[in-house]
Amino acid sequence: MSTIARPITSRLWNRYTTALRERPLRTKMIQSGVLFIAADIVAQFGIEGKSLRSAISGEEGDEVYEPLRTARLASYGTFVFAPLAHIWLSMLERISLSNRWTSLASKVILDMTVWSPCVTFMFPTSLGLLEGKSIKEVRHKVAMGWFPTWQKAVCVFGPTQVLNFTLVPAQHRLLFVQSVGTCWNTFLSWQNNRNNKILAIATLKLAEARVHALEVESGEHPEEKEIEQAEREVEKAQATLRKAEEKKERMRKEGGEAGVGVRMGWS
């Protein structure tokens, strides 16, 4: 009876930890694949504002959901990233130096200077090949994005790994890192939705400012001060709208395939 009464989440967690203990690699592969799928869905719908309906109706374009992209990321997360991350984290766990803090520093430094650069190379290479790109195209893609991607990963996952190696049990460290990535995705989605509201308000205010400016200019004897004030209102509304549009475009790019890789694979 007590087993039935236990919360579903508790039972699922117990099953997960049992599977992780008995079949660690397989469990981490499934876990990674599922989280990569979730991350890309949040990115495509929540951050990039893509449409599932358009994809179903066979439309094409930047605003259409890409199921193949989700499949590529799931394949990478399951068959490439998870096994290598499992091996890497197991290797780091064997580091035991003179004291706890020296060991921690060594793990974080190795993670940021050995693992992260390798994965930063591995992610675009794997995805490029899955997309059917040529070696030359893949090489160009890696060369263009490798260093800024690695910088971003270090800034976010350096502190994350300090917490990870300090507080999280070894078997849950991959889950912790990818959970941080999922939360990051969710935060970006919230930011994007908030920015969309700002964009809508800015568009409305710009239209109102333009109408007001026309009314002032078409008056019988408009004063110069009134005209200047109306022009300032239009300029202010234009600046707000431009800022919101730039932020939307920046977030759309950040939410892309490479962005998911950075957030989910500390790559």
Side-chain angles (χ1 to χ4, degrees):
M1 184 69 182
S2 60
T3 304
I4 298 173
R6 284 160 64 188
I8 294 175
T9 52
S10 177
R11 278 182 278 167
L12 287 174
W13 178 255
N14 287 338
R15 287 186 180 182
Y16 167 74
T17 52
T18 300
L20 196 60
R21 185 174 59 253
E22 295 176 354
R23 296 174 292 277
L25 178 56
R26 188 171 78 177
T27 303
K28 287 176 183 177
M29 288 173 70
I30 295 170
Q31 162 197 302
S32 183
V34 169
L35 288 174
F36 263 88
I37 290 171
D40 190 55
I41 287 173
V42 170
Q44 290 206 51
F45 291 125
I47 303 173
E48 298 168 67
K50 296 193 174 186
S51 168
L52 179 61
R53 186 178 299 174
S54 300
I56 293 172
S57 62
E59 295 179 26
E60 296 182 356
D62 292 339
E63 302 301 318
V64 180
Y65 170 66
E66 300 175 67
L68 285 178
R69 188 181 108 175
T70 304
R72 286 194 299 267
L73 284 162
S75 299
Y76 170 79
T78 303
F79 301 110
V80 179
F81 177 75
L84 292 175
H86 172 72
I87 294 168
W88 174 252
L89 290 171
S90 299
M91 289 171 60
L92 288 183
E93 190 57 27
R94 295 174 191 164
I95 295 175
S96 181
L97 301 178
S98 56
N99 62 66
R100 179 186 177 187
W101 300 111
T102 307
S103 297
L104 172 63
S106 301
K107 289 176 182 179
V108 174
I109 290 169
L110 283 171
D111 199 66
M112 293 296 106
T113 59
V114 178
W115 169 254
S116 188
C118 289
V119 181
T120 306
F121 168 81
M122 184 172 64
F123 177 78
T125 302
S126 301
L127 269 291
L129 293 174
L130 286 172
E131 289 168 5
K133 287 184 166 62
S134 66
I135 298 297
K136 185 178 180 180
E137 289 174 318
V138 171
R139 190 183 301 155
H140 177 70
K141 185 177 181 180
V142 172
M144 289 292 290
W146 183 87
F147 188 68
T149 301
W150 177 74
Q151 281 183 310
K152 189 180 293 185
V154 169
C155 291
V156 174
F157 288 105
T160 299
Q161 290 297 68
V162 171
L163 293 175
N164 202 11
F165 292 129
T166 305
L167 303 174
V168 181
Q171 68 271 25
H172 296 310
R173 284 175 184 162
L174 179 59
L175 176 62
F176 176 74
V177 169
Q178 293 191 310
S179 297
V180 170
T182 303
C183 291
W184 187 0
N185 257 8
T186 304
F187 172 72
L188 287 177
S189 177
W190 171 80
Q191 261 200 334
N192 184 59
N193 289 329
R194 181 171 174 269
N195 189 64
N196 285 341
K197 292 178 182 177
I198 294 171
L199 190 60
I201 293 169
T203 303
L204 180 62
K205 285 188 175 180
L206 177 58
E208 290 174 348
R210 282 174 172 165
V211 169
H212 180 246
L214 286 172
E215 288 175 350
V216 170
E217 289 175 3
S218 61
E220 290 186 5
H221 302 290
E223 294 185 8
E224 188 174 338
K225 187 182 290 185
E226 288 181 334
I227 294 173
E228 288 177 357
Q229 177 66 26
E231 288 175 349
R232 279 197 296 270
E233 287 176 2
V234 171
E235 288 173 2
K236 184 179 178 182
Q238 285 176 331
T240 304
L241 181 62
R242 186 165 54 251
K243 186 178 178 181
E245 287 175 340
E246 287 171 356
K247 186 174 182 180
K248 184 176 179 65
E249 179 61 20
R250 189 167 62 249
M251 292 188 69
R252 189 187 68 79
K253 290 178 179 177
E254 190 172 346
E257 196 171 50
V260 175
V262 172
R263 293 186 287 277
M264 296 305 296
W266 79 98
S267 59

